[in-house]
Amino acid sequence: MSSADKKSKDPVLSLLSGTFAGGVEGIATYPTEYVKTRLQLQAGGKLQAGELRFKGPIDCLLKTVKTHGIGAIYTGVSALAIGNAAKAGVRFLTYDQIANALRDENGKLTGMRSMLAGLGAGMTEAALVVTPSETIKTKLIHDKNSPTPKYRGLIHGTKLIVAEEGLGGIYRGLGPVMARQGANSAVRFSCYSYFKETLQKWRGKGQEPLPSTHTFVAGALAGIVTVYTTMPLDVVKTRMQGLDAREMYKNSLDCLIKVVKANGIFSLWKGTTPRLTRLIFSGGIVFTVYEKVYNALELVKN
């Protein structure tokens, strides 16, 4: 996916490779996603009766395990793993097809065009997959930490959410999710393309596929840049998907203003440490697994 990649991607292989990579990445990094979500739900939100206040990511992890057991940090993992597999499949499929259309007559993709392809991919995955899966995940986590949890799992929780709030209940926060995913993918893909191309030039072996260690480094670096540039959108998205969002916020802008007023501007980077940890590893994992699976499927096909 560097600007020098001249061969068009096969859409079926892109979808299969992305789906597999997303599932692996989602399960492997879920505890950091759980901690990030718990911290963000307390950024400007009100504590429910008996809910613990966390000082930071380590405190959140230790108190959660001590109070609810080790399994608690995997609350909502099924929603995210399924959603992650689906969104990665859609993301890579959409990115590769938009990128194919944007390549110049020599088959090259510039950094700006890679960013545009990433933006389109991110907004598509947000509308089709990310919003419902992350809304359900956030509500399951929020409910688990209330004194009287009412959701008994993914299917039961989804049924209750739809019954109580309608289909709109699982599409809460669509605006900030589309903004976050669009920005995420635009930054992530363009940075990955840049770092990958830089590593290929450094190796001096032309377009020969990079070793897994190199693709992992390129993906991890892209993840670091993505976290710091898009974190405020992620905080607003999480707050808008919490159980108390309907009572507390009129819309995403109102949420942003209230969070800043209550906790200051830096609260928009609440949960940065666990998200940074997750995206460093998720970026490395998802791009490495995608590249390897795609190459393997291409060999089988040919």
Side-chain angles (χ1 to χ4, degrees):
M1 273 171 286
S2 73
S3 62
D5 286 343
K6 296 185 178 182
K7 192 162 74 171
S8 294
K9 295 282 189 176
D10 182 294
V12 176
L13 300 191
S14 291
L15 180 63
L16 292 174
S17 303
T19 300
F20 185 79
V24 171
E25 177 262 319
I27 294 171
T29 63
Y30 189 75
T32 60
E33 175 68 16
Y34 175 89
V35 171
K36 181 215 72 172
T37 301
R38 290 294 302 129
L39 291 175
Q40 289 179 342
L41 286 170
Q42 293 188 351
K46 58 184 179 182
L47 290 179
Q48 299 184 53
E51 186 177 359
L52 299 171
R53 169 68 71 182
F54 305 121
K55 299 174 183 176
I58 301 300
D59 184 54
C60 174
L61 184 64
L62 294 176
K63 283 183 178 176
T64 299
V65 172
K66 183 178 179 180
T67 306
H68 300 288
I70 191 70
I73 61 173
Y74 275 94
T75 300
V77 67
S78 51
L80 186 120
I82 294 169
N84 221 52
K87 77 178 182 182
V90 171
R91 181 195 312 141
F92 279 101
L93 170 64
T94 308
Y95 175 84
D96 286 338
Q97 297 314 299
I98 295 176
N100 288 343
L102 293 177
R103 295 182 191 280
D104 62 22
E105 61 274 9
N106 297 316
K108 292 184 178 181
L109 187 68
T110 64
M112 182 56 69
R113 292 185 178 189
S114 177
M115 184 174 288
L116 287 174
L119 179 65
M123 295 185 76
T124 300
E125 66 172 314
L128 296 180
V129 181
V130 180
T131 303
S133 68
E134 290 209 356
T135 300
I136 292 167
K137 175 214 69 177
T138 301
K139 289 180 183 292
L140 288 176
I141 291 175
H142 208 173
D143 176 71
K144 179 74 173 181
N145 288 272
S146 66
T148 54
K150 59 181 179 180
Y151 304 142
R152 294 195 298 269
L154 174 62
I155 296 175
H156 178 256
T158 303
K159 286 181 178 178
L160 270 185
I161 292 168
V162 173
E164 294 174 356
E165 303 180 40
L167 284 177
I170 60 173
Y171 268 91
R172 194 163 302 283
L174 176 61
V177 174
M178 289 188 72
R180 187 201 67 169
Q181 289 304 119
N184 270 357
S185 290
V187 174
R188 207 174 189 186
F189 276 106
S190 58
C191 286
Y192 177 72
S193 296
Y194 171 77
F195 291 129
K196 181 182 173 184
E197 184 177 0
T198 300
L199 288 171
Q200 284 176 322
K201 288 179 179 178
W202 176 71
R203 289 186 79 222
K205 295 185 178 181
Q207 294 308 303
E208 180 182 313
L210 289 171
S212 297
T213 51
H214 290 58
T215 55
F216 190 94
V217 168
L221 290 172
I224 293 171
V225 176
T226 302
V227 167
Y228 285 104
T229 54
T230 64
M231 198 67 203
L233 295 171
D234 193 68
V235 171
V236 172
K237 181 275 303 181
T238 300
R239 288 300 314 145
M240 286 296 293
Q241 292 175 334
L243 295 175
D244 54 3
R246 283 196 300 173
E247 292 76 33
M248 291 190 67
Y249 312 120
K250 299 174 185 176
N251 49 48
S252 299
L253 180 60
D254 182 54
C255 173
L256 175 68
I257 293 170
K258 285 182 176 176
V259 168
V260 172
K261 279 186 176 179
N263 293 282
I265 189 70
F266 290 110
S267 64
L268 294 176
W269 277 267
K270 193 83 170 178
T272 295
T273 300
R275 186 172 180 234
L276 180 62
T277 303
R278 178 172 183 250
L279 281 195
I280 286 174
F281 285 99
S282 73
I285 292 169
V286 77
F287 281 111
T288 300
V289 174
Y290 172 82
E291 298 276 9
K292 295 303 178 185
V293 173
Y294 187 94
N295 289 337
L297 290 175
E298 200 168 39
L299 284 174
V300 172
K301 178 184 176 184
N302 295 332

